[in-house]
Amino acid sequence: MPSTLSRRYILGRVSLYGGAILLALWTLAPLYLIALAAFSTRQATFQWPKPFLPTDFSIDTMQFFVNSRGVLDSVRNSIIVALLTIAGSLVLGAPGGYALARFRFRGKEGISLGLLISKMFPTAILSIPLAVTFLQLDLYDSLWGVALVHIAMALPFVIIVTAGIFVGVPRDLEEVAQTLGCNRLQAFLRVVLPLALPGLAAAAIFTFVISWNEVFAATILTLRNRTLPAQVLSGLNDSPLYYRYAGGFFMIVPALIFIFLIRRYLLNLWGNIVR
Amino acid sequence: MRVKSETILPYSLLVPTLIFVILLIVVPIGQAFLLAFQAPDSSFTFAHFQKMANDTSFGDALRFTFLLLIFIVPMQVVLAIIMALLIHTRFKGHTLFLYIYAIPLAISDLAAGIAWLSIFTERGYLNSILNQLGIFDKPFLFLSYQNLPAMFGTIVVAESWRATAIVMTILLAGLQVIPRDYFEAADVFGATTLKRTLFVVLPLLRPSLQNALIIRTIFAFQTFAVVFALAGRVIPVLAGESYNWYVANRNPNIAAAYAVLVLIFTVAATWFYLHFFQTSAAEAGYD
Amino acid sequence: MAGIRFQSIRKVFGKTVAADSVSLEIRDGEFMVLLGPSGCGKTTLLRCLAGLEHVDGGRVFIGDRDVTDRAPRDRRIAMVFQSYAVFPHLTVFDNIAFGLKMQGRPRDEIKRRVEESARLLELTDFLKRYPAQLSGGQRQRVAVARAIVMQAAVLLMDEPLSNLDALLRLQMRAELKRLHQEIKATTIYVTHDQVEALSLGDRIAVMQSGRIVQCDVPMNIYDYPANKFVGGFIGTPPMNFLPGVVHANGDGPTVVVGESHLAPAPAFAHALSAKNGEPILLGIRPENLTLAPNQQANTIRARVRVVEPLGSHKLLTMQVGTEISKVSVAPDQRVAPNEDVWLHFDPEKIRWMDAATGEAISATVE
């Protein structure tokens, strides 16, 4: 009896780890392969059959991509837009999140529902009319214009995520600070903010990812001042394969880093997003 | 005085956001409808929609968008449930696997499309491995209009790969809310792992599943960059058509008509899920 | 140092009235306990005093200052929260120093005063630690030290001991009493624990559904509860209640309980005579009931149901007619379950109450 039990246990463990590893391979394989493709020579793109080990490692393709016209500018643009998006959505959204977390007020349910609904809107329905408006306002082909749309897209998420973060800071701490001589703002700055900072940083990174990856609005709203995804997308059909591989890999790298940085917050950020 | 400032405070914290939302979400949506329904003389018209519907790509775009939805969403959900349940057993090293499974969260559909392009392209990695296994001696053209089902399949695979992570995190977050007692109670009654999953875990996961389905369906209607990367314009989709009408044809009216159509589908799908699942508060009692 | 005055305080949350026109005066240096079950409004009253809630009516005075519309920081109060609310991102030193730093005190004064209150609460060895490295009891001490270092006129404590385990709670209770004797700040202490209230309070204000039902020194609260609620809330086990009917004749009133006639103490003769024929409630504490060997004046037949030896005394559960009464007897009292005994009621210790309202009937002083 004990031996059958332990055999069942071992069998269970084996299938557990086997399954887990299989799924990990499924997730990692494309990442490995695109890295392999991006770090081969340009000629190797047309080689067939391809090697599965980095036998001809080369930065030739990446060099070509980075030196292509508009790429470095687009990377810079992407970073600027993402930073503007972080700043804008946190400055606008965090106070709202705080209000939802701390106060009971008339209209709160309505606002929460509104946020929920505004996350539903397709990017297209925002970007197309805004492209038309921005043309009139001279915001077309400007990074500000793209950042505004990205803020609009990120804002509902940021409010909900920051509300969750502020709920996690006990109200008592703020109140005790008030009895110890702080006004509301001081209590927030000295007590709530330091405690919320890791969560807010994670929210900022999350916002960066939204902006860094966004392609539809960025392409529609720009012509020369492309962000990186817009740059890659607009030239997708008439650029060589190795250019695309390098571009794809380039876009993926920050994702890997950021997911690692905010791994502790994964479930809070993405998991509860729809609530 | 103080009483008053206390009541006003939450509103004043929300005012900047509300103004921004009105200017950059509410007004544009109104404008989108105007673009889609307004004739040059400002009168109401269905002309843009008629032109959209008469376009040769429209039928295909509609069909492919829904086909993608039908294939991608179930695949993602099944994969994500398996991943989430695996992680939730908290086996040794599960945090590493969670990190790995979550990586695609931060990868754009464009980048995902390109990554899979390196696999599915004529001289790509899939053909290389098929060749080395001796299955084909010549590359198989996955990404050719002559093999439309294969091409469609590559999109399903790429998009499932990318977005499974989102579904998984939503489900995992939902799993963590379920008190462990439920699992233990099932153990006490001698439930096998399979039975426990089917009859205890999945019903309790229904609210999260609903959320995941809503968000995935919404995004599935917007799929476009991954399709562009793998299929160019051979497989049209609704969001892609909207993009093309604006960028290539410089026609914001028809682009807006497509956008409105996507919005209508989005709302309808959300309503469908909310109606279809109908999780009552009492049923989700732990929530 | 300052006294406190609540003047017709009203506070409503939605449809719940948390404070219903509460008036209360607390003397300078007094230790006042607000006691009541959860939801009775005691914490709300404290928070109104701290300025963390805004009253819907009435005024709050600290000393002779009307602080009703002042922010918490302008009230010269210090508060200890039930959750301790120790700042997790600050060391013990910085936690205690927080308020002094907000006041912009000079560095050496801060150091001196923090070290002094740390010594008072035996925290000197922990000043460099973070709250996460402390036990629950130590965190509680930090919260107290952080409040007393302010040398505020008024010290507010909201159930400060309720999150501690039983032994630690006993210890800290004595500590807090000693502390109050040393610093003599006017203290308002909220608790639902009647033992804490009796042990700590100079006076106790018992609250029920947003009102103060009795405010008096502990022994009066214990011996002379103002109504059935107070008698039933205070004491372990609480006061026993038995229904009876008043019979008034020429010799003065008697109260019929079951088959027995009890003669009330002379001070109540007048008040009870007026209630001839009416139902009445008899309240008596378990320790004021004794076992009598045979039928005597003021005895009632009762049957022993349960005997619980508790070391210092024996607790008996008795059936008196259809009612259950608890009786506390000496540990060496010989008594067995299902034994029929005579219970003697000490007339001087009986609290008579109106059967309908539960209000105590006051003695007439002649």
Side-chain angles (χ1 to χ4, degrees):
Chain A
M1 190 64 192
S3 77
T4 54
L5 198 74
S6 73
R7 192 177 302 157
R8 243 183 79 186
Y9 175 81
I10 292 168
L11 210 68
R13 286 282 115 175
V14 166
S15 53
L16 183 74
Y17 278 97
I21 291 168
L22 216 62
L23 285 166
L25 287 178
W26 150 258
T27 311
L28 290 175
L31 297 172
Y32 171 70
L33 295 175
I34 185 75
L36 201 60
F39 285 101
S40 313
T41 55
R42 276 178 277 169
Q43 292 77 9
T45 314
F46 306 105
Q47 186 190 335
W48 193 78
K50 279 187 169 29
F52 283 88
L53 293 170
T55 42
D56 53 20
F57 179 88
S58 155
I59 55 165
D60 172 55
T61 301
M62 287 307 280
Q63 236 167 0
F64 169 81
F65 173 73
V66 171
N67 292 329
S68 298
R69 202 154 60 86
V71 167
L72 272 183
D73 283 342
S74 72
V75 171
R76 197 204 59 204
N77 289 345
S78 267
I79 292 171
I80 292 174
V81 168
L83 292 179
L84 287 174
T85 306
I86 290 174
S89 58
L90 275 180
V91 165
L92 286 168
Y98 181 77
L100 289 181
R102 274 290 185 273
F103 297 94
R104 294 173 66 182
F105 53 92
R106 201 186 281 257
K108 184 172 170 176
E109 283 71 29
I111 288 173
S112 304
L113 188 70
L115 286 175
L116 211 68
I117 292 171
S118 59
K119 290 190 301 187
M120 250 171 49
F121 296 128
T123 330
I125 207 150
L126 300 181
S127 348
I128 286 165
L130 281 173
V132 175
T133 313
F134 286 174
L135 269 175
Q136 293 156 0
L137 295 175
D138 217 18
L139 267 170
Y140 185 74
D141 201 20
S142 107
L143 299 181
W144 282 101
V146 181
L148 282 175
V149 179
H150 286 184
I151 293 170
M153 287 168 58
L155 199 53
F157 293 96
V158 168
I159 293 176
I160 287 165
V161 167
T162 52
I165 292 163
F166 288 129
V167 163
V169 179
R171 188 195 210 110
D172 285 359
L173 294 180
E174 225 175 323
E175 289 183 341
V176 83
Q178 282 177 270
T179 67
L180 290 170
C182 293
N183 60 31
R184 264 197 178 281
L185 183 66
Q186 286 169 323
F188 179 83
L189 293 177
R190 283 172 178 264
V191 176
V192 182
L193 199 59
L195 292 171
L197 216 51
L200 292 178
I205 291 175
F206 176 71
T207 313
F208 192 102
V209 171
I210 291 182
S211 171
W212 176 264
N213 284 341
E214 200 287 321
V215 61
F216 192 100
T219 316
I220 290 231
L221 292 170
T222 58
L223 201 56
R224 279 183 303 275
N225 286 316
R226 298 293 201 191
T227 62
L228 180 61
Q231 180 77 16
V232 173
L233 182 80
S234 60
L236 201 59
N237 291 330
D238 31 58
S239 57
L241 270 179
Y242 46 83
Y243 174 92
R244 292 184 237 174
Y245 293 163
F249 179 75
F250 209 93
M251 285 189 276
I252 288 174
V253 172
L256 296 179
I257 299 168
F258 288 156
I259 285 284
F260 182 73
L261 286 179
I262 56 178
R263 61 195 182 285
R264 279 181 50 220
Y265 293 87
L266 281 177
L267 296 191
N268 292 335
L269 288 171
W270 273 278
N272 296 324
I273 246 158
V274 218
R275 266 287 138 106
Chain B
M1 264 273 293
R2 260 180 68 73
V3 175
K4 218 175 162 191
S5 79
E6 279 293 302
T7 4
I8 290 174
L9 188 58
Y11 296 105
S12 45
L13 289 172
L14 279 160
V15 160
T17 294
L18 289 181
I19 293 174
F20 190 91
V21 164
I22 288 169
L23 286 182
L24 277 127
I25 295 181
V26 178
V27 171
I29 287 171
Q31 283 174 322
F33 275 85
L34 285 182
L35 282 171
F37 287 106
Q38 218 171 33
D41 62 351
S42 315
S43 63
F44 179 83
T45 177
F46 273 118
H48 306 307
F49 277 90
Q50 259 157 13
K51 199 170 170 198
M52 171 181 87
N54 290 334
D55 183 53
T56 45
S57 302
F58 176 75
D60 283 343
L62 202 59
R63 206 173 67 234
F64 280 122
T65 303
F66 275 91
L67 276 175
L68 281 175
L69 182 76
I70 289 165
F71 279 91
I72 292 172
V73 173
M75 186 157 166
Q76 283 173 349
V77 169
V78 171
L79 271 177
I81 287 177
I82 296 172
M83 284 182 183
L85 288 176
L86 274 177
I87 298 288
H88 196 62
T89 60
R90 313 216 167 173
F91 60 89
K92 208 171 171 187
H94 72 278
T95 43
L96 173 71
F97 283 93
L98 172 60
Y99 167 63
I100 292 173
Y101 297 162
I103 289 173
L105 277 178
I107 293 175
S108 65
D109 49 350
L110 178 60
I114 293 173
W116 283 93
L117 178 68
S118 76
I119 294 171
F120 286 125
T121 191
E122 187 185 347
R123 297 180 174 199
Y125 291 105
L126 183 57
N127 272 325
S128 298
I129 206 165
L130 290 176
N131 174 266
Q132 277 164 14
L133 293 174
I135 297 171
F136 294 123
D137 22 323
K138 274 200 326 194
F140 180 80
L141 298 179
F142 292 100
L143 302 176
S144 155
Y145 62 94
Q146 293 157 327
N147 291 322
L148 215 50
M151 199 174 193
F152 180 81
T154 63
I155 297 169
V156 171
V157 169
E159 185 62 4
S160 301
W161 173 81
R162 186 185 70 86
T164 298
I166 298 173
V167 183
M168 178 203 64
T169 40
I170 294 172
L171 293 183
L172 204 50
L175 272 175
Q176 294 195 326
V177 186
I178 302 174
R180 291 243 149 208
D181 310 6
Y182 283 86
F183 298 92
E184 277 151 21
D187 283 340
V188 170
F189 291 115
T192 63
T193 315
L194 182 68
K195 271 189 188 157
R196 196 177 68 184
T197 308
L198 287 180
F199 299 118
V200 181
V201 181
L202 289 186
L204 285 168
L205 259 185
R206 219 159 76 161
S208 318
L209 214 50
Q210 174 181 330
N211 284 340
L213 282 174
I214 289 175
I215 203 158
R216 277 316 305 152
T217 306
I218 289 172
F219 284 130
F221 281 120
Q222 299 186 46
T223 314
F224 114 97
V226 66
V227 183
F228 265 33
L230 286 166
R233 284 205 62 198
V234 176
I235 292 186
V237 286
L238 291 174
E241 287 310 294
S242 176
Y243 169 86
N244 271 317
W245 275 101
Y246 188 86
V247 172
N249 304 346
R250 292 273 142 213
N251 189 331
N253 299 96
I254 292 178
Y258 270 107
V260 167
L261 195 65
V262 171
L263 179 66
I264 291 169
F265 286 142
T266 303
V267 173
T270 309
W271 178 85
F272 171 79
Y273 282 126
L274 289 177
H275 202 75
F276 183 70
F277 275 84
Q278 283 213 347
T279 15
S280 65
E283 216 177 322
Y286 57 86
D287 206 339
Chain C
M1 294 289 147
I4 292 159
R5 190 149 52 93
F6 292 101
Q7 203 174 66
S8 315
I9 297 301
R10 187 176 166 78
K11 178 69 191 175
V12 184
F13 294 108
K15 281 181 184 142
T16 323
V17 183
D20 187 0
S21 190
V22 174
S23 295
L24 178 65
E25 255 184 77
I26 298 153
R27 289 185 289 271
D28 182 17
E30 189 173 21
F31 198 120
M32 171 65 83
V33 176
L34 298 180
L35 173 68
S38 61
C40 72
K42 55 194 193 299
T43 294
T44 303
L45 199 60
L46 191 78
R47 289 171 59 84
C48 287
L49 175 57
L52 296 169
E53 303 285 354
H54 305 284
V55 298
D56 294 320
R59 313 300 299 173
V60 183
F61 295 87
I62 297 179
D64 41 18
R65 286 196 315 154
D66 182 343
V67 296
T68 316
D69 296 321
R70 303 260 182 163
R73 65 200 187 112
D74 298 329
R75 294 191 178 202
R76 292 171 55 221
I77 51 140
M79 183 157 168
V80 179
F81 284 70
Q82 181 174 10
S83 65
Y84 317 148
V86 173
F87 302 126
H89 61 302
L90 300 179
T91 61
V92 171
F93 183 96
D94 288 334
N95 258 285
I96 302 176
F98 189 91
L100 298 175
K101 281 184 182 162
M102 287 310 298
Q103 289 178 348
R105 302 272 171 182
R107 190 185 284 263
D108 50 336
E109 186 195 336
I110 293 179
K111 190 166 183 304
R112 183 175 51 76
R113 283 171 65 177
V114 168
E115 280 170 357
E116 186 189 313
S117 55
R119 194 168 46 247
L120 219 51
L121 284 141
E122 291 160 24
L123 286 167
T124 312
D125 296 339
F126 305 103
L127 283 174
K128 289 202 177 86
R129 293 217 192 159
Y130 282 90
Q133 302 164 298
L134 300 179
S135 70
Q138 287 164 338
R139 264 177 255 176
Q140 206 268 350
R141 285 162 184 276
V142 175
V144 175
R146 184 176 61 186
I148 62 165
V149 79
M150 301 303 290
Q151 297 173 358
V154 177
L155 190 56
L156 310 180
M157 299 202 194
D158 184 9
E159 309 234 11
L161 304 183
S162 64
N163 288 351
L164 299 178
D165 63 55
L167 203 64
L168 212 52
R169 197 180 312 170
L170 212 64
Q171 202 181 326
M172 265 320 273
R173 199 170 77 197
E175 286 281 289
L176 288 180
K177 188 147 190 168
R178 171 185 65 86
L179 212 57
H180 179 252
Q181 283 157 5
E182 266 175 61
I183 63 176
K184 296 188 177 64
T186 311
T187 304
I188 305 193
Y189 186 104
V190 164
T191 183
H192 65 270
D193 182 332
Q194 40 103 12
V195 182
E196 252 171 52
L198 293 170
S199 97
L200 287 171
D202 290 329
R203 280 194 299 160
I204 299 172
V206 185
M207 291 189 70
Q208 182 194 14
S209 341
R211 290 164 182 274
I212 293 179
V213 287
Q214 189 173 11
C215 179
D216 209 333
V217 296
M219 279 326 285
N220 279 354
I221 299 266
Y222 187 80
D223 285 337
Y224 308 106
N227 60 19
K228 190 183 175 198
F229 167 77
V230 178
F233 189 71
I234 289 179
T236 20
M239 196 171 235
N240 297 307
F241 298 102
L242 295 169
V245 179
V246 181
H247 269 252
N249 52 33
D251 312 331
T254 59
V255 176
V256 181
V257 179
E259 288 157 11
S260 299
H261 287 251
L262 300 181
F268 291 96
H270 184 72
L272 290 187
S273 296
K275 290 183 174 286
N276 186 18
E278 287 179 32
I280 197 163
L281 208 57
L282 173 162
I284 190 156
R285 296 226 169 257
E287 64 270 29
N288 296 329
L289 289 166
T290 45
L291 300 191
N294 45 39
Q295 185 167 17
Q296 306 169 356
N298 294 322
T299 54
I300 297 181
R301 191 99 178 125
R303 169 165 284 201
V304 179
R305 284 298 181 199
V306 182
V307 179
E308 297 171 80
L310 295 176
S312 62
H313 63 281
K314 260 185 191 155
L315 186 62
L316 312 180
T317 306
M318 309 280 259
Q319 184 154 4
V320 184
T322 56
E323 304 290 318
I324 294 294
S325 281
K326 296 281 188 184
V327 179
S328 172
V329 295
D332 55 356
Q333 175 92 43
R334 293 169 65 100
V335 62
N338 296 322
E339 198 178 325
D340 286 321
V341 295
W342 292 96
L343 264 185
H344 178 258
F345 288 66
D346 181 352
E348 296 294 336
K349 299 288 188 181
I350 294 174
R351 198 73 174 143
W352 299 103
M353 292 168 186
D354 188 293
T357 65
E359 292 300 319
I361 294 162
S362 39
T364 28
V365 189
E366 282 171 62

